[in-house]
């Protein structure tokens, strides 16, 4: 199996893990600081509530930071906060010129997300894994990449020959791995070094 990560999220696709992938998984793995072996349901519920409250706090801190940034840039935009799984989700929508905060291929958005994570970490002392989206760019990109992964997997199943996809970020490769894993008879692995690391779809 190949382990692909996005800021600490591990996604498993149906391929063979090489030593490089193992190293990536170990490096990016998010360690659970909870007490091992605790089985008390009430304690688990408390931990869940505390975790959600912490994520809500992350979102609020990020929202304040981004609101100040928009004011400095004189940009309009509505900031929405949400919690999805174990990460805070922050999105900016509804304003003009928001494409400038996305940049080519999402480069500006990635940098802005990292700055926002650092602002949250400075306030909480804990490394943040929040996801930032601007003008729905990540949501649209996710749909595009899922379609690319599914189509490539179907071609590989029909032809029986591996297919290499263009270089992608860890976030993008994770989505492709997920899409390929949904197609019977196909698997995927990552090859190459950043920034040219890419997904190779292979027959399962």
């Amino acid at each position: 199996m190949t382990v692909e990560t996005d800021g600490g999220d591990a996604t498993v696709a149906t391929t063979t893990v090489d030593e490089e992938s193992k190293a990536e998984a170990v490096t990016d793995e998010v360690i659970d600081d909870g007490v091992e072996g605790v089985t008390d349901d009430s304690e688990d519920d408390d931990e869940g509530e505390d975790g959600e409250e912490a994520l809500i706090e992350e979102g609020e801190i990020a929202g304040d930071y981004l609101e100040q940034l928009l004011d400095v840039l004189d940009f309009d935009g509505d900031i929405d906060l949400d919690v999805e799984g174990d990460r805070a989700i922050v999105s900016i929508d509804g304003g003009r010129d928001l494409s400038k905060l996305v940049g080519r291929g999402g480069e500006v958005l990635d940098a802005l997300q990292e700055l926002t994570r650092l602002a949250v970490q400075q306030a909480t002392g804990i490394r943040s894994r929040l996801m930032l989206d601007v003008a729905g760019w990540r949501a649209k990109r996710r749909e595009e990449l899922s379609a690319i992964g599914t189509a490539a997997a179907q071609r590989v199943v029909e032809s029986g020959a591996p297919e290499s996809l263009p270089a992608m970020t860890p976030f993008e490769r994770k989505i492709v791995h997920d899409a390929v894993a949904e197609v019977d008879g196909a698997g995927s692995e990552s090859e190459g070094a950043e920034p040219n690391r890419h997904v190779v779809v292979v027959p399962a």
Side-chain angles (χ1 to χ4, degrees):
M1 295 183 296
T2 292
V3 178
E4 191 64 58
T5 62
D6 169 33
D9 277 346
T11 296
V12 179
T14 57
T15 53
T16 303
V17 176
D18 57 18
E19 292 304 319
E20 181 179 2
S21 298
K22 290 180 182 177
E24 287 183 357
V26 171
T27 300
D28 292 333
E29 182 181 3
V30 176
I31 300 174
D32 182 6
D33 292 328
V35 178
E36 184 177 357
V38 174
T39 57
D40 190 317
D41 291 339
S42 63
E43 290 188 20
D44 289 344
D45 291 342
D46 289 342
E47 289 177 2
E49 292 176 2
D50 290 344
E52 184 172 353
E53 289 178 1
L55 293 176
I56 292 173
E57 181 184 5
E58 281 192 20
E60 291 175 346
I61 294 170
D64 290 341
Y65 172 78
L66 291 168
E67 186 174 0
Q68 294 177 27
L69 179 64
L70 291 177
D71 287 343
V72 170
L73 297 174
D74 196 24
F75 282 8
D76 294 325
D78 298 322
I79 299 176
D80 294 322
L81 311 176
D82 198 3
V83 172
E84 183 178 305
D86 60 351
R87 103 172 46 221
I89 307 294
V90 184
S91 59
I92 305 175
D93 296 290
R96 296 178 299 172
D97 297 326
L98 289 181
S99 61
K100 295 178 181 178
L101 297 180
V102 175
R104 185 179 63 181
E107 291 177 349
V108 176
L109 175 55
D110 287 340
L112 182 57
Q113 175 176 272
E114 187 60 28
L115 287 173
T116 305
R117 287 177 172 179
L118 290 173
V120 172
Q121 181 175 346
Q122 185 176 32
T124 64
I126 300 174
R127 181 174 180 271
S128 173
R129 297 175 55 250
L130 70 84
M131 181 71 73
L132 174 64
D133 197 2
V134 174
W137 186 86
R138 287 200 195 278
K140 294 175 185 176
R141 183 61 174 155
R142 185 183 296 274
E143 292 179 2
E144 294 173 356
L145 290 166
S146 292
I148 289 172
T150 299
Q154 291 171 344
R155 289 193 297 270
V156 167
V157 170
E158 292 175 1
S159 68
E163 180 175 333
S164 295
L165 299 179
M168 299 179 183
T169 66
F171 165 79
E172 293 171 330
R173 295 195 303 268
K174 175 183 181 297
I175 296 170
V176 173
H177 283 310
D178 287 346
V180 172
E182 294 295 321
V183 179
D184 291 338
S188 61
E189 58 190 17
S190 291
E191 294 184 358
E194 301 292 1
N196 298 315
R197 194 161 174 77
H198 60 280
V199 174
V200 178
V201 183
V202 298

